[in-house]
Amino acid sequence: MNANLSNQVIDAPDFDAIKKRQQAMWASGNYSKVGSTLQITGESLCEAMDLNSGETVLDVAAGNGNVTLAAARRYCQVTSTDYVQALLDQGSARADADGLRVDYQQADAEQLPFAEQSFDNVVSTFGVMFAPNQAQAAAEMLRVCRAGGKIGLANWTPDGFIGRLFKIVGRYVAPPAGVQSPAAWGTQEFLQKHFGSAAENIEVTAKTYIFRYLSTEHWLDVFRNYYGPVHKAFAALPDEQQQALAQDITQLIDEFNLAKDGSVKVPSAYLEIVITKKLG
């Protein structure tokens, strides 16, 4: 028994080391080039949550702040957090441009620096799902949400376009050992496992976001240069494998593309989730 326990300790993922690599990944490129196109998902989530003006909202792993801005536009008191300062700076510039008041704080989704039940609402759009210690990140969201409050999420699904993209990239650059795919957050099983016992209700709506780009080459150029996971994957590969990865991604785009005029119109499935925390 002791030997088994010893093996478990040795084999456990080094989450701190993984997060340091992730920070460098998300700080690379320029995520706002992609992130800002997803603004509609933040607006949709705020409507699904039926946010009331004056309520407190914590955005976890906010990136460049889509749901942050959406909540601030509804006159909520928003605290926007991420562990990459450059992303918070991008979000802050967007808030300033729109004349919105937001409190920005650098914070780790797995160790949120807030007291229990500090916020009426806790949200994340395509952000917290990338935390390597998924159970801890989910527990932290629950901890800082008040009893009877809401947790709102937008998460890519495993079989949708972005979920499939993750799988392709993972064939070329192996993900950290012992860490589940971020797309696990886009499954009913994950939500029930990590939120079910603390939830009064979990409302899940299957949604689709449409990626719209000038061409397949345009999509590849944007993601290769600006989207951290794809940017770092290409940078880690020799030329021949870079070409193979580009070809595999091109085939994926062609499989999903609805456009017939040479442009890109690719639907990507995600789950819009509203969790109401139990009162007791």
Side-chain angles (χ1 to χ4, degrees):
M1 183 173 180
N2 289 337
N4 289 336
L5 289 173
S6 176
N7 287 337
Q8 289 176 8
V9 172
I10 292 172
D11 295 336
D14 186 342
F15 291 121
D16 288 338
I18 292 169
K19 281 187 286 189
K20 286 179 181 178
R21 292 196 295 272
Q22 284 186 332
Q23 282 178 300
M25 176 188 73
W26 289 112
S28 70
N30 183 351
Y31 176 72
S32 66
K33 295 283 189 178
V34 175
S36 59
T37 68
L38 301 168
Q39 182 61 45
I40 192 172
T41 62
E43 305 291 342
S44 177
L45 180 61
C46 287
E47 288 302 297
M49 295 176 71
D50 192 25
L51 294 182
N52 291 320
S53 301
E55 290 184 334
T56 55
V57 177
L58 173 67
D59 190 356
V60 178
N64 68 324
N66 288 334
V67 71
T68 288
L69 299 181
R73 273 193 277 272
R74 289 156 176 80
Y75 298 100
C76 293
Q77 300 175 49
V78 185
T79 302
S80 188
T81 65
D82 201 283
Y83 66 175
V84 178
Q85 184 61 46
L87 297 180
L88 293 177
D89 292 343
Q90 291 172 2
S92 180
R94 295 177 73 196
D96 288 345
D98 285 354
L100 301 173
R101 296 184 61 182
V102 176
D103 176 27
Y104 288 91
Q105 295 187 39
Q106 190 169 5
D108 182 346
E110 298 171 9
Q111 295 177 305
L112 295 171
F114 307 107
E116 292 185 10
Q117 303 194 53
S118 295
F119 297 91
D120 299 315
N121 306 277
V122 182
V123 297
S124 187
T125 53
F126 315 116
V128 73
M129 63 185 293
F130 290 97
N133 190 339
Q134 297 179 340
Q136 180 64 21
E140 280 292 273
M141 296 187 85
L142 283 167
R143 182 183 66 81
V144 301
C145 183
R146 69 166 173 83
K150 294 177 182 177
I151 296 173
L153 300 165
N155 299 328
W156 302 118
T157 63
D159 297 325
F161 175 74
I162 292 295
R164 292 272 300 280
L165 176 68
F166 293 158
K167 292 174 185 176
I168 289 174
V169 171
R171 293 204 301 264
Y172 288 85
V173 180
V179 175
Q180 271 192 295
S181 167
W185 282 75
T187 65
Q188 293 271 8
E189 179 184 8
F190 181 95
L191 298 171
Q192 286 298 327
K193 177 179 179 180
H194 294 287
F195 295 98
S197 63
E200 183 68 31
N201 182 57
I202 300 178
E203 182 178 349
V204 178
T205 304
K207 303 279 284 188
T208 301
Y209 172 77
I210 307 291
F211 287 96
R212 301 176 189 270
Y213 285 78
L214 297 171
S215 64
T216 298
E217 293 75 17
H218 180 221
W219 189 100
L220 272 170
D221 181 65
V222 170
F223 274 70
R224 183 171 183 165
N225 286 293
Y226 302 120
Y227 185 64
V230 177
H231 176 73
K232 281 293 190 182
F234 273 103
L237 297 172
D239 289 345
E240 185 176 334
Q241 284 191 293
Q242 287 186 33
Q243 293 174 16
L245 175 56
Q247 183 176 2
D248 284 349
I249 293 175
T250 296
Q251 290 176 351
L252 180 69
I253 294 171
D254 290 343
E255 178 185 339
F256 277 82
N257 195 7
L258 301 177
K260 306 299 182 183
D261 60 357
S263 67
V264 163
K265 182 178 173 183
V266 166
S268 187
Y270 74 95
L271 297 186
E272 183 177 79
I273 302 140
V274 180
I275 302 164
T276 303
K277 188 176 174 181
K278 289 180 179 177
L279 283 170

